[in-house]
């Protein structure tokens, strides 16, 4: 084995050089002698020697600094330094620089060979250890890679078998993973999509709007509509350090049921309207047909109140149906402050009857809204009507209108019973009536649903701020147009 080991000698002093060359060759080492720095460079580039012996001084240069340079480039090559004298501090230098050892006169052939063998054995052991460690680390990395690949395949299998559509995105909305359902939804077949931007891959505007809204932070879900009538409920969930996931559920059948239900309600309400008008008409005629006793009079009044209630309900339902179907297209430039006067006129009696303190505060710089004045009136009637209806005797109702940048903000505040926190969102649902409303307060549970539809058909927003026992404020934000 030792026979193939190449020992490089970079030594000036020829008597020692000869001695070394002979001693090493005699022990079956291959020896290369270099005479200058260029020769040294050439030699190490052709074949990295198994060991190098360098003089303390080599063609005028410092052997120690040449060794340092060599060790930087070939850290596992053992280097012995040949010094003139075993001076104090040399051992320290050798250790500090990481050399394999040093030789000094008087030199015997056997000493040279022994020292070279010792350095080679040590270097070999070190090399073996490094190789073993590299093998071990590589094996462990391979194992880990195998696990994560297996995990990835497992995850992909799970995701592909989920019925809902799933898209996993990185932070810049590029596709990391997509399942078969999504491919079917967007007709992607086997188009390569991984790594591509979702926005460029899929042209659906609703999906783009969902991606835009992910920046809003609090985004929850968005409806994704298709021309053929399919509707999906899409949801974006942020995933820390990855990006996010879009999940899509087919809600076409729910939408269809909702449509059928609305059509049904609309048809029934429509068909009920004429007979109700007739009933109300005849109840009024009864009184004219002859005198009634007190009981008959009372029954008649109850009958009239009930018919009135059903008529209001039917009218509200028809209104909602029209609004939801998008039939409300009439638009004019409307001044909200002017419409407010008509609403307050209508409620004047009730305000006086309940001794309610009414405060109105309409900002002088109110801009016009492009709106349907009848619907705006209906919205104000419902909000202010509720405030008066739910506020007890001697309470206070405040109506404020002001500008917030290019939007009008309307606030209707009252000192009524307030609405419990968990019910505040639901009061805008059809037929929902809050649990703590005072006994005997009549209503259909449709007023706020109508308000919401009106506001949304004017590209606005409505919400409620309320505290039980303190009062409620209904706020509406409407965009204006000069
Ligand atoms: P309703 O015909 O019952 O008044 P709405 O749709 O107008 O129906 O309102 C829904 C529910 O919201 C009401 O039943 C009531 O519980 C609650 N609500 C609406 N306005 C107020 C208010 N100003 N103060 C307290 N509760 C209110």
């Amino acid at each position: 084995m030792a026979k193939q080991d190449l020992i490089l000698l970079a030594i000036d002093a020829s008597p020692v050089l000869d001695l070394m060359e002979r001693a090493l060759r005699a022990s079956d080492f291959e020896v290369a002698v270099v005479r200058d720095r260029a020769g040294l460079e050439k030699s190490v580039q052709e074949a990295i020697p198994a060991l190098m012996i360098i003089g303390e001084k080599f063609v005028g240069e410092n052997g120690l600094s040449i060794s340092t340079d060599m060790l930087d480039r070939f850290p596992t090559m053992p280097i012995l330094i040949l010094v003139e004298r075993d001076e104090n501090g040399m051992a320290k230098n050798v250790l500090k620089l990481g050399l394999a050892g040093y030789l000094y006169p008087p030199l015997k052939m056997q000493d040279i060979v022994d020292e070279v063998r010792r350095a080679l054995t040590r270097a070999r052991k070190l090399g073996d250890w490094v190789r073993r460690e590299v093998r071990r680390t590589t094996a462990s990395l391979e194992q880990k890679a195998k696990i994560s690949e297996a995990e990835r395949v497992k995850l992909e299998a799970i995701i592909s078998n989920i019925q809902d559509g799933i898209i996993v995105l990185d932070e810049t909305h590029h596709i990391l993973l997509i399942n078969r359902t999504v491919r079917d939804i967007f007709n992607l077949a086997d188009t390569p999509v991984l790594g591509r931007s979702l926005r460029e891959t899929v042209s659906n505007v609703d999906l783009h709007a969902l991606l835009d809204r992910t920046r809003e932070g609090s985004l929850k879900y968005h409806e994704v509509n298709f021309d053929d009538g399919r509707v999906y409920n899409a949801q974006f969930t942020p995933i820390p350090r990855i990006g996010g996931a879009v999940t899509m559920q087919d809600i076409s059948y729910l939408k269809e049921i909702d449509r059928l239900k609305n059509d049904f309600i609309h048809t029934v309400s429509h068909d009920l309207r004429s007979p109700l008008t007739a009933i109300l008409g005849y109840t009024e005629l009864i009184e004219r047909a002859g005198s009634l006793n007190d009981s008959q009079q009372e029954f008649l009044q109850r009958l009239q109140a009930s018919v009135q209630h059903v008529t209001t309900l039917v009218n509200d339902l028809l209104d909602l149906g029209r609004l939801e179907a998008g039939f409300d297209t009439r638009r004019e430039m409307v001044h909200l402050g002017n419409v407010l006067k008509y609403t307050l006129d209508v409620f004047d009696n009730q305000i006086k009857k309940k001794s309610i303190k009414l405060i109105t505060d309409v900002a002088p710089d109110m801009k016009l809204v492009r709106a349907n004045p009848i619907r705006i009136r209906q919205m104000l009637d419902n909000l202010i009507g509720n405030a008066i209806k739910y506020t007890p005797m001697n309470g206070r109702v405040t109506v404020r209108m002001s500008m917030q940048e290019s939007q009008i903000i309307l606030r209707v505040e009252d000192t009524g019973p307030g609405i419990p926190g968990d019910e505040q969102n639901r009061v805008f649902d059809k037929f929902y009536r809050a649990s703590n409303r005072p006994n005997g307060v009549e209503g259909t549970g449709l007023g706020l649903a109508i308000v919401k539809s009106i506001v949304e058909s004017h590209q606005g927003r409505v919400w409620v701020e309320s505290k039980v026992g303190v009062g409620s404020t209904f706020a509406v934000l409407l965009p204006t147009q000069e």
Side-chain angles (χ1 to χ4, degrees), residues 390-440:
Y390 291 105
T391 298
M393 294 284 291
N394 303 312
R396 193 179 61 240
V397 170
T398 312
V399 183
R400 294 180 205 279
M401 287 184 188
S402 59
M403 293 303 301
Q404 201 177 67
E405 289 168 18
S406 60
Q407 307 189 86
I408 284 181
I409 179 149
L410 157 77
R411 297 175 74 87
V412 181
E413 300 170 22
D414 63 49
T415 54
I419 302 165
D422 55 338
E423 295 185 65
Q424 288 177 13
N425 273 334
R426 302 191 58 194
V427 293
F428 296 99
D429 291 347
K430 284 175 221 167
F431 300 112
Y432 191 83
R433 306 198 73 202
S435 56
N436 69 329
R437 66 176 198 282
N439 279 339

Side-chain angles (χ1 to χ4, degrees), residues 3 7 44 58 96 246 269 296 359 370 417 442 459:
K3 205 171 178 189
I7 311 295
V44 291
F58 177 59
K96 200 161 81 188
V246 178
S269 332
Q296 286 168 328
I359 301 165
R370 207 175 149 267
E442 293 277 331
Q459 285 74 48

